[in-house]
Amino acid sequence: MQGDQLDLLGALPVSATQLDSSDALLQLLDDWLANGWLRALDRAFAGFLLEQAPETSPAVLLAAALVSHQLGHGHVCLDLATTLAEPDFALSLPPEGESLIDTPLPSAVLAGVTLDSWRAALQASRVVDSQQPEQGSCPLVLIGSRLYLRRYWQYERQVVEGLRARLQPMPVSDDLPSRLQALFADSQQQPDWQLIACALAARGRFSIITGGPGTGKTTTVVRLLALLQTPAVERGQALRIRLAAPTGKAAARLTESIGKQVGQLPVDDAVKDAIPTEVSTLHRLLGSLPDSRHFRHHAGNPLALDVLVVDEASMIDLEMMANVLAALPPQARLVLLGDKDQLASVEAGAVLGDLCRDADAGYYSKQTRDWLEQVSGQSLAAAQLHIGDDSQHALAQQTAMLRHSHRFGADSGIGELARAVNRCAADQARELLTRGHFTDIRSQRLSGPSDPCFAALALGSDSDTGLPGYAAYLQVLDQQRPASSTAALDPLWQDWARAVLKTFDRFQLLCAVRRGEWGVEAVNQRVAALLQRRGLLRSEQLWYEGRPVLVTRNDYSLGLMNGDIGIALRIREPALIAGQAETDALRVAFARNDGSGNIRFVLPSRLPEVETVFAMTVHKSQGSEFEHAVLVLPEARNPVLTKELVYTAITRASRQFTLLESRPGVFEAAVQTPVRRISGLDLSPGPD
């Protein structure tokens, strides 16, 4: 390293003084990789930069490896200031309780380094653009103290610019107040946030409707579509409306829910007919191209629509949001629907969470408040919202947070627990679980994998809940099976499969992690073994009757989506050739994703990637609902354990939530740890 470059390593402890060259830095990255603290991709990226620019300093190589690694953990960029404050947060260190290998950590390597000196090294590098990055082509981009991979800086810039261009309010018709009153004639709330959300969305090309479970997000958007479509139908120019969701499971749930609600709208049949009820995945909507990150629809080939509604928007990552905005016609409306407090997307970014930072406070300007009260007939005084500014809080003027839960009221332990977790109130959450005032929530301590409490819960022999475990669907499978003489095309086979799937869907074990004593893999094996010992399952081979599976990759040819759940059943198959006898065959039954309730039977060998699903990760459960959801916490604290994960698990339950824990303190630590997704996504005026 040259004397006029950043002396990154001059102030290091003795354990790291050997890192005085790029080769030595790469050796450190190799050690981190061997320990499992870094990904091979991150190490390779640093090596690639050194090949392209051999003079690249260790400071830049270290930053490059860390920004790549942070991206793999959902962060859009590496914040240098945050990294210097908590250096070891930038690596995948082992969970609490596991010993660290004797290798220098970032806290040792970065000791004595200042933000200014690190920024200076990056600004001096020819692999980093820091001045007018839009005109450059370097693989890294430095904006203030945030370091990006260029592609993700471009995504973030596209989202900011695309949304800012849609924030100017649109003119509305004089009859908007009367149309709102007609749609919400049965309103009992004051203020009625569903009505207010419709009013805000009616005047904008971009709007957000957020709220927790049971706050009526779907009801609101159905009425919004009626509000928008009615005058268009009256003019003879019906709007082209499309509905989408990030996953097949979420799309299927919205299809079913919207199909029921459209028929109840107080509008003409012509308007109902013009409101779509079919929901597609975002990948299908945009037209994903095989073996590519690209889509058929983009800025040069936009979608043919006037209104796009995207449900479960908390699951949208930054790259997908950029692609959606690029494919959207300039005059089209975009409505995002989702729970801002749920887990963020698996991929990089927390778009809905970033956009809803101020949703609780409101920040409506005086002009917006006056307009809302005028068109809605509602008073916002009791809401005690913060006063905002049209310029500083432009996004807030198009954001509505639904605040009244129709599912989880004051008498709901699930609702109270979810709200306590959302506030990071660990002591209150623990008290709710243990004091026994609510019968729909509880916690149980597990002594180990063979604890009989776990077996009773998984099997459904725990009398405290009165709800089934996994033995129930196998009893339906056995007791309601059609007679052996039932013809292959008899609808009894569909009815039977539907009953098995419906019963299975009532109960679900949710895990925070994949590996470990209480991870998905071990819990799946444990439950299968329990069911075998009870004689309910026979699983000598990979495929056996009763095996529940989760689809982990979309297969459009089969109509199966990531997140779909199926169960292997032995059914009667029609004869392939006339005159031959019908045969028994093992097929996997899936509910169709069209809201019809019909079942499709798929040959196991034709399925895309699947895994057994007695237990699933909380991430995979998003967009689902179960009568009884059980969260199984690992035995040690882990970086994935956050209040968003706990909140998401709790709100998957409609009637009963159970917390299983094997060590005290893990739950409290998770509740007190909000997700940190580092990004620069901010629509406030000023430089990005």
Side-chain angles (χ1 to χ4, degrees):
M1 185 182 291
Q2 299 300 317
D4 58 350
Q5 289 181 311
L6 167 66
D7 185 11
L8 175 66
L9 306 161
L12 294 185
V14 175
S15 62
T17 52
Q18 74 273 23
L19 303 181
D20 57 357
S21 69
S22 296
D23 288 341
L25 191 281
L26 291 184
Q27 181 57 56
L28 174 68
L29 298 184
D30 285 334
D31 292 342
W32 286 353
L33 173 61
N35 294 346
W37 302 349
L38 204 68
R39 301 179 304 170
L41 177 65
D42 312 325
R43 163 59 178 85
F45 180 56
F48 167 77
L49 293 184
L50 190 61
E51 289 178 3
Q52 300 302 306
E55 75 283 2
T56 302
S57 71
V60 175
L61 294 178
L62 178 62
L66 292 181
V67 72
S68 173
H69 190 67
Q70 289 286 78
L71 187 68
H73 284 268
H75 304 286
V76 173
C77 56
L78 178 76
D79 188 290
L80 303 179
T82 300
T83 302
L84 289 173
E86 300 180 83
D88 299 338
F89 173 70
L91 287 186
S92 294
L93 298 181
E96 180 192 56
E98 294 187 23
S99 59
L100 291 171
I101 301 170
D102 187 18
T103 303
L105 293 167
S107 51
V109 179
L110 291 169
V113 175
T114 66
L115 176 61
D116 288 343
S117 61
W118 204 1
R119 288 183 69 249
L122 290 162
Q123 288 169 337
S125 174
R126 68 184 182 96
V127 298
V128 180
D129 278 327
S130 58
Q131 302 294 326
Q132 298 182 312
E134 64 278 359
Q135 298 178 11
S137 59
C138 293
L140 295 171
V141 172
L142 181 66
I143 304 294
S145 66
R146 301 192 305 272
L147 182 68
Y148 294 82
L149 294 181
R150 169 168 289 277
R151 184 154 55 90
Y152 282 85
W153 170 76
Q154 289 174 328
Y155 291 147
E156 190 171 273
R157 187 162 168 257
Q158 289 167 14
V159 170
V160 169
E161 292 178 354
L163 293 182
R164 278 181 180 168
R166 295 176 177 274
L167 288 182
Q168 205 61 28
M170 298 168 61
V172 297
S173 61
D174 294 338
D175 62 355
L176 178 62
S178 61
R179 293 188 186 276
L180 283 169
Q181 294 306 318
L183 285 168
F184 289 88
D186 59 348
S187 174
Q188 301 295 318
Q189 301 298 317
Q190 184 62 245
D192 188 329
W193 286 104
Q194 295 184 20
L195 189 156
I196 289 168
C198 285
L200 283 176
R203 72 169 192 169
R205 284 188 295 134
F206 173 63
S207 55
I208 299 173
I209 301 174
T210 186
T215 52
K217 294 186 292 292
T218 305
T219 300
T220 303
V221 82
V222 168
R223 295 186 186 188
L224 171 62
L225 295 180
L227 183 70
L228 298 175
Q229 192 66 284
T230 298
V233 169
E234 290 172 353
R235 292 192 304 267
Q237 297 175 327
L239 297 172
R240 298 167 298 173
I241 300 173
R242 296 294 301 274
L243 310 174
T247 67
K249 185 77 171 179
R253 281 183 56 81
L254 184 60
T255 296
E256 182 179 2
S257 180
I258 282 190
K260 293 176 181 176
Q261 296 199 34
V262 167
Q264 301 171 3
L265 285 169
V267 297
D268 293 341
D269 288 344
V271 176
K272 294 179 184 178
D273 293 341
I275 297 176
T277 57
E278 183 178 348
V279 186
S280 69
T281 63
L282 284 171
H283 281 84
R284 173 167 279 186
L285 174 77
L286 297 178
S288 58
L289 300 176
D291 303 318
S292 168
R293 304 180 78 101
H294 302 293
F295 295 92
R296 188 171 66 253
H297 291 289
H298 45 73
N301 181 32
L303 294 160
L305 53 78
D306 301 301
V307 180
L308 173 61
V309 176
V310 183
D311 193 23
E312 295 288 354
S314 63
M315 301 167 69
I316 303 176
D317 60 83
L318 182 69
E319 181 179 359
M320 176 56 77
M321 190 68 198
N323 284 318
V324 168
L325 287 168
L328 210 58
Q331 298 306 313
R333 296 175 188 261
L334 173 63
V335 181
L336 297 184
L337 207 63
D339 185 346
K340 67 180 179 62
D341 298 313
Q342 276 195 39
L343 277 169
S345 58
V346 175
E347 303 298 329
V351 175
L352 188 68
D354 286 343
L355 296 177
C356 290
R357 288 189 191 101
D358 298 330
D360 287 284
Y363 282 111
Y364 296 138
S365 68
K366 184 179 185 305
Q367 293 89 336
T368 297
R369 289 169 66 105
D370 291 346
W371 180 83
L372 280 173
E373 291 185 345
Q374 176 190 347
V375 301
S376 70
Q378 304 270 315
S379 171
L380 298 181
Q384 299 181 335
L385 302 177
H386 292 224
I387 301 297
D389 176 84
D390 282 327
S391 174
Q392 293 295 321
H393 304 99
L395 178 60
Q397 313 313 305
Q398 290 305 127
T399 301
M401 180 173 169
L402 307 182
R403 299 162 191 266
H404 176 75
S405 178
H406 301 273
R407 186 189 310 166
F408 302 131
D411 61 342
S412 166
I414 294 173
E416 286 295 311
L417 182 62
R419 286 186 279 271
V421 168
N422 233 347
R423 296 192 299 270
C424 296
D427 291 342
Q428 184 185 359
R430 172 59 68 188
E431 185 181 358
L432 287 167
L433 284 165
T434 56
R435 70 186 182 187
H437 287 187
F438 296 102
T439 59
D440 59 344
I441 57 173
R442 64 174 183 161
S443 65
Q444 284 187 297
R445 184 66 53 79
L446 298 175
S447 60
S450 59
D451 193 314
C453 289
F454 175 80
L457 196 65
L459 294 171
S461 55
D462 183 342
S463 60
D464 289 346
T465 68
L467 292 171
Y470 288 131
Y473 88 93
L474 292 170
Q475 289 166 356
V476 171
L477 185 156
D478 181 56
Q479 296 171 8
Q480 297 184 24
R481 183 194 304 275
S484 57
S485 58
T486 306
L489 299 180
D490 193 302
L492 283 175
W493 294 107
Q494 286 262 332
D495 295 341
W496 173 58
R498 190 180 300 111
V500 173
L501 285 166
K502 185 177 180 180
T503 306
F504 179 85
D505 214 27
R506 295 179 65 189
F507 175 80
Q508 185 63 58
L509 292 168
L510 304 175
C511 296
V513 296
R514 292 200 63 84
R515 294 178 177 82
E517 198 168 72
W518 294 107
V520 165
E521 295 172 0
V523 172
N524 268 319
Q525 294 172 5
R526 200 168 298 139
V527 174
L530 282 170
L531 294 170
Q532 287 176 52
R533 287 199 295 271
R534 294 296 178 93
L536 296 169
L537 275 184
R538 296 175 180 82
S539 56
E540 295 81 9
Q541 299 177 336
L542 173 64
W543 284 103
Y544 52 87
E545 187 171 39
R547 182 191 178 194
V549 293
L550 178 78
V551 175
T552 59
R553 180 170 57 82
N554 293 344
D555 188 321
Y556 293 108
S557 64
L558 291 175
L560 295 177
M561 301 297 159
N562 185 359
D564 285 351
I565 290 177
I567 296 178
L569 300 174
R570 190 162 295 281
I571 65 169
R572 183 61 54 87
E573 284 263 290
L576 296 177
I577 302 174
Q580 285 187 345
E582 295 181 342
T583 58
D584 289 343
L586 191 70
R587 297 292 181 262
V588 185
F590 292 92
R592 292 188 179 273
N593 287 322
D594 56 7
S596 66
N598 292 331
I599 304 297
R600 67 158 57 86
F601 295 100
V602 182
L603 189 71
S605 61
R606 289 197 61 200
L607 287 175
E609 297 170 14
V610 297
E611 57 187 36
T612 302
V613 69
F614 292 114
M616 68 169 68
T617 62
V618 177
H619 266 104
K620 287 288 187 183
S621 74
Q622 290 190 94
S624 299
E625 181 183 298
F626 312 99
E627 286 187 28
H628 187 184
V630 179
L631 174 60
V632 186
L633 290 180
E635 61 275 14
R637 298 180 185 182
N638 190 295
V640 306
L641 291 174
T642 63
K643 68 109 170 172
E644 286 82 2
L645 181 139
V646 176
Y647 170 86
T648 301
I650 294 167
T651 54
R652 297 312 91 206
S654 62
R655 290 182 56 189
Q656 181 77 39
F657 171 76
T658 300
L659 174 71
L660 295 183
E661 45 191 340
S662 54
R663 179 187 156 192
V666 175
F667 172 74
E668 285 81 358
V671 172
Q672 293 172 326
T673 307
V675 163
R676 294 191 294 176
R677 283 285 177 99
I678 299 171
S679 79
L681 186 59
D682 187 357
L683 270 62
S684 301
D688 295 338

